[in-house]
Amino acid sequence: MDVSVKGEYALRAVFDLAGRDAPGPVKIADIAQRQEIPQKFLELILAQLKKGGFLESRRGADGGYFLAQPATEITIGAVLRHIEGSLSPGRKMYRNGSPENSPFPEFWNQVEQALSGVIDKTTFADLVERWREKNTHRAANWEI
Amino acid sequence: MDVSVKGEYALRAVFDLAGRDAPGPVKIADIAQRQEIPQKFLELILAQLKKGGFLESRRGADGGYFLAQPATEITIGAVLRHIEGSLSPGRKMYRNGSPENSPFPEFWNQVEQALSGVIDKTTFADLVERWREKNTHRAANWEI
DNA sequence: TTAATCTCTAGTAAGTTGATAGAGATTGTC
DNA sequence: GACAATCTCTATCAACTTACTAGAGATTAA
């Protein structure tokens, strides 16, 4: 029951992009530095996020990544599911068509719903907002 | 974000023991067969559950395992945490004392609480009860 | 004593994770 | 058009984890 480091990097990267006010693409190198993520690893993650439809990019000089949708419409759950695969903790149980008369599937279902109640209802806009509330007088990461 | 096969085996084993009406120890081999768990692997898991204070055992002929506490007092969360370690999905994030001004710790806290609301409030007695409700006319697994 | 059990210590094959390397494809600028 | 800056794609890899397996040892009931 854990989110991989890769998943965490993905969340931080999207958060970084969601927090930018100025329009225009952001360089991988910048995200990598601000979020302390190994750049080459981040490249793979951003490419995957792009395939998932969360990000868009532009190459060449002055290229970079930017959100494909408004931050109010990207949930943590969506990003995490795309990077980590299913988040259902009990998905392996009785996967071979074993006992149907088990209480576990129902139980895991409850767990999944509880989880979903948080991760699928929190957007990156929410995260940025919370972050700003806590840092009204401090300088923002992305305002250098 | 996943429960390991080992964790699932542990839950099934405790569930198996919680569902027994007759007193007295249950053999590893029996649990292994009913729950379809490789016996040698189950041995390790049961030993670990014993160390965690969930089970007790008796060796020798007519030996076996049995619950160390009533099933009403053993929660899924307790067993899972003991087998899997922390269930906090975001525990790795900013583990190196990085940004304190991040919205993520707070977010992961919410996730943890939502999770806890289910797994720390469901006991094995609950599971057995649910199981029995669904199987009032069918033969129980452990009644052979 | 013997057979049945739990117990303890090792080992291990397969898979996953968290990267790194380097060449290729685009794009803006001079 | 050359060139530099970026993203993009494919391959590789060491370290670690997972899910087991093996086998000898300790304890108990009959």
Side-chain angles (χ1 to χ4, degrees):
Chain A
M1 200 89 96
D2 217 354
V3 169
S4 69
V5 169
K6 183 182 176 186
E8 296 167 8
Y9 288 166
L11 294 183
R12 289 205 250 165
V14 176
F15 173 71
D16 191 281
L17 292 174
R20 291 208 63 84
D21 300 314
V26 182
K27 288 171 196 121
I28 295 178
D30 290 348
I31 303 174
Q33 188 174 25
R34 277 194 296 264
Q35 303 298 330
E36 303 178 56
I37 302 171
Q39 177 163 346
K40 283 306 251 180
F41 193 22
L42 180 58
E43 286 178 11
L44 303 179
I45 295 167
L46 292 175
Q48 194 175 343
L49 286 170
K50 183 183 177 182
K51 272 189 199 152
F54 301 105
L55 306 182
E56 286 181 24
S57 65
R58 210 160 61 200
R59 351 191 200 188
D62 228 25
Y65 277 93
F66 49 97
L67 297 185
Q69 315 163 40
T72 49
E73 302 197 359
I74 310 180
T75 66
I76 310 250
V79 169
L80 229 39
R81 274 182 238 274
H82 182 249
I83 296 290
E84 306 268 9
S86 162
L87 296 183
S88 168
R91 74 184 139 93
K92 294 206 211 76
M93 215 151 192
Y94 302 127
R95 58 205 174 292
N96 304 327
S98 290
E100 282 302 311
N101 51 338
S102 154
F104 285 107
E106 194 183 318
F107 170 75
W108 290 122
N109 214 39
Q110 283 179 32
V111 172
E112 210 168 344
Q113 285 192 326
L115 209 57
S116 170
V118 177
I119 67 172
D120 293 328
K121 293 196 172 26
T122 306
T123 69
F124 284 88
D126 295 331
L127 287 189
V128 170
E129 191 183 4
R130 282 184 213 170
W131 186 90
R132 286 194 168 136
E133 274 168 20
K134 281 172 69 176
N135 295 279
T136 36
H137 33 288
R138 229 172 305 172
N141 249 1
W142 10 266
E143 284 167 8
I144 308 186
Chain B
M1 200 90 97
D2 218 356
V3 169
S4 69
V5 169
K6 183 182 176 186
E8 296 167 6
Y9 288 166
L11 294 183
R12 288 205 250 166
V14 175
F15 172 71
D16 191 281
L17 291 175
R20 291 208 62 86
D21 301 314
V26 182
K27 288 172 196 121
I28 295 178
D30 290 348
I31 302 175
Q33 187 172 26
R34 275 194 297 262
Q35 303 298 330
E36 303 179 57
I37 302 172
Q39 177 162 348
K40 282 306 248 179
F41 194 22
L42 180 58
E43 286 177 12
L44 302 180
I45 295 167
L46 292 175
Q48 194 175 341
L49 286 169
K50 183 183 178 182
K51 271 189 199 152
F54 301 105
L55 306 182
E56 287 181 23
S57 64
R58 211 159 59 203
R59 354 190 200 188
D62 228 25
Y65 276 92
F66 49 98
L67 298 185
Q69 314 164 42
T72 50
E73 302 197 359
I74 309 179
T75 67
I76 310 250
V79 168
L80 229 37
R81 274 183 239 274
H82 182 249
I83 296 291
E84 306 267 8
S86 163
L87 296 183
S88 169
R91 73 184 138 93
K92 293 204 211 76
M93 214 150 191
Y94 302 127
R95 60 204 173 293
N96 305 327
S98 290
E100 283 301 313
N101 52 339
S102 153
F104 286 106
E106 194 183 318
F107 170 75
W108 289 122
N109 214 39
Q110 284 179 31
V111 172
E112 210 168 342
Q113 286 192 326
L115 209 57
S116 170
V118 176
I119 67 173
D120 293 329
K121 294 199 172 24
T122 306
T123 69
F124 284 88
D126 295 331
L127 287 188
V128 170
E129 191 184 3
R130 283 184 212 170
W131 187 91
R132 286 192 168 137
E133 273 167 22
K134 280 171 69 176
N135 294 279
T136 35
H137 33 288
R138 229 171 304 170
N141 251 1
W142 8 267
E143 286 169 7
I144 308 182

